[in-house]
C-alpha cells in the first residue's frame, strides 16, 4: 500500500504540472509552483481499551500549485492544490506506515514590504492513510496554514510555512502491537476522532 501511495503521489504531481502548463499557455495570469520539504509533529489519539495511537515525528515533502484571483495592489487571493507525503511510523505498532494528503486550498496574500509577503489560508481534501491501526485507507481531512514569501526576484521566492492538518479516523480493526508480554494482536476501536499533524515547511516558489 505504501508503494502504491508513492506512485499515486508522483502521478498526481506530474498531472498537476501538465495541467499548469496548459493553463499557462491559455492565460496571462501567473501560476505559482512550490515544491517544499518539512518536518511533521503528529498529535496522539486514544483507542477504546486504553491503546494510544502516537505517530513519530517525521520528515515530509510536497508540492503546491496556485493561481491568483482578486488581485489588488497590496492584497491578492490565491486558489490551488497541495499534495504531500510523510511517513507514519507509530509507537507500539509493528509496521512502517505513511500518510499522503491531497488538498484544495485558498489563501490571502498581503504585501508587508517591497520584497516580502505574508499569507494565511485554509485547505480541505483527503488523506491516504497506510497504517495498521486505521481501518479506513481514505480519510476526510482539513487544515489551515500561514507563512511568508521572501522574494529572490520576480520569478522565485523562498517560502516559510507553518501548517496544521487534521484527519478524521473512525472504525475498528485488529493490528499487531507491542505489549509487556511481547507482540500480539490488539483490537483498535477509534470512534470518530481527529488526528492532528503540525508542520514547519521550507519551499521555493517558481512563478510562470
Amino acid at each position: 500500500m505504501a508503494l502504491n501511495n508513492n506512485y499515486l503521489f508522483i502521478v498526481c504531481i506530474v498531472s498537476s504540472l501538465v495541467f499548469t502548463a496548459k493553463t499557462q499557455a491559455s492565460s496571462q495570469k501567473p501560476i505559482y509552483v512550490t515544491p517544499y520539504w518539512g518536518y511533521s509533529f503528529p498529535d496522539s489519539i486514544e483507542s477504546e481499551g486504553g491503546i494510544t495511537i502516537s505517530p513519530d515525528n517525521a520528515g515530509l515533502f510536497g508540492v503546491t500549485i496556485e493561481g491568483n484571483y482578486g488581485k489588488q495592489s497590496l492584497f491578492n487571493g490565491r486558489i490551488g492544490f497541495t499534495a504531500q507525503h510523510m511517513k507514519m511510523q507509530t509507537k507500539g505498532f509493528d509496521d512502517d506506515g505513511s500518510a499522503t494528503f491531497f488538498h484544495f486550498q485558498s489563501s490571502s496574500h498581503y504585501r508587508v514590504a517591497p520584497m516580502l509577503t505574508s499569507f494565511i489560508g485554509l485547505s480541505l481534501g483527503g488523506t491516504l492513510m497506510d497504517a495498521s491501526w486505521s481501518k479506513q485507507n481514505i480519510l476526510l481531512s482539513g487544515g489551515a496554514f500561514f507563512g511568508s514569501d521572501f522574494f529572490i526576484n520576480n520569478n522565485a521566492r523562498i517560502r516559510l510555512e507553518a501548517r496544521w492538518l487534521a484527519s478524521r479516523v473512525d472504525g475498528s480493526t485488529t493490528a499487531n502491537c507491542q505489549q509487556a508480554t511481547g507482540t500480539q494482536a490488539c483490537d483498535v476501536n477509534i470512534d470518530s476522532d481527529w488526528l492532528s499533524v503540525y508542520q514547519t515547511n521550507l519551499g521555493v516558489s517558481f512563478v510562470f
Side-chain angles (χ1 to χ4, degrees):
M1 180 67 181
L3 184 61
N4 291 338
N5 282 359
N6 290 338
Y7 283 141
L8 181 58
F9 182 78
I10 294 172
V11 168
C12 287
I13 290 177
V14 172
S15 299
S16 299
L17 291 175
V18 171
F19 174 77
T20 298
K22 290 182 178 179
T23 301
Q24 179 65 13
S26 61
S27 173
Q28 297 302 315
K29 294 183 178 180
I31 299 295
Y32 306 88
V33 179
T34 309
Y36 61 89
W37 300 263
Y39 206 70
S40 64
F41 306 88
D43 207 347
S44 61
I45 56 177
E46 294 290 334
S47 167
E48 294 181 8
I51 298 176
T52 299
I53 311 296
S54 182
D56 294 339
N57 300 342
L60 64 95
F61 62 92
V63 63
T64 296
I65 300 175
E66 303 170 291
N68 285 339
Y69 72 90
K71 186 172 177 60
Q72 301 177 18
S73 59
L74 298 178
F75 157 81
N76 72 282
R78 288 189 194 171
I79 190 168
F81 175 82
T82 190
Q84 64 170 254
H85 181 79
M86 58 176 284
K87 290 186 176 181
M88 189 64 74
Q89 186 171 358
T90 306
K91 297 181 180 70
F93 289 85
D94 292 337
D95 66 337
D96 292 328
S98 65
T100 307
F101 297 87
F102 299 95
H103 278 204
F104 293 100
Q105 67 178 39
S106 178
S107 57
S108 298
H109 289 244
Y110 304 89
R111 186 173 293 277
V112 296
M115 302 295 287
L116 173 67
T117 60
S118 292
F119 58 87
I120 187 170
L122 299 172
S123 66
L124 182 65
T127 306
L128 291 181
M129 182 66 71
D130 178 24
S132 61
W133 46 262
S134 177
K135 179 181 179 180
Q136 300 170 311
N137 291 328
I138 301 178
L139 311 176
L140 173 68
S141 56
F145 56 96
F146 67 92
S148 294
D149 287 335
F150 301 88
F151 285 58
I152 301 174
N153 53 44
N154 289 335
N155 297 316
R157 300 101 187 264
I158 300 294
R159 170 166 293 188
L160 296 176
E161 177 188 83
R163 188 178 286 263
W164 163 75
L165 297 167
S167 302
R168 183 179 180 273
V169 184
D170 188 27
S172 301
T173 189
T174 301
N176 290 330
C177 64
Q178 299 171 4
Q179 300 290 336
T181 56
T183 301
Q184 64 183 51
C186 299
D187 293 327
V188 181
N189 185 9
I190 302 173
D191 186 15
S192 298
D193 207 345
W194 290 85
L195 177 63
S196 291
V197 177
Y198 306 93
Q199 302 176 349
T200 55
N201 301 324
L202 172 66
V204 181
S205 291
F206 300 98
V207 184
F208 298 95

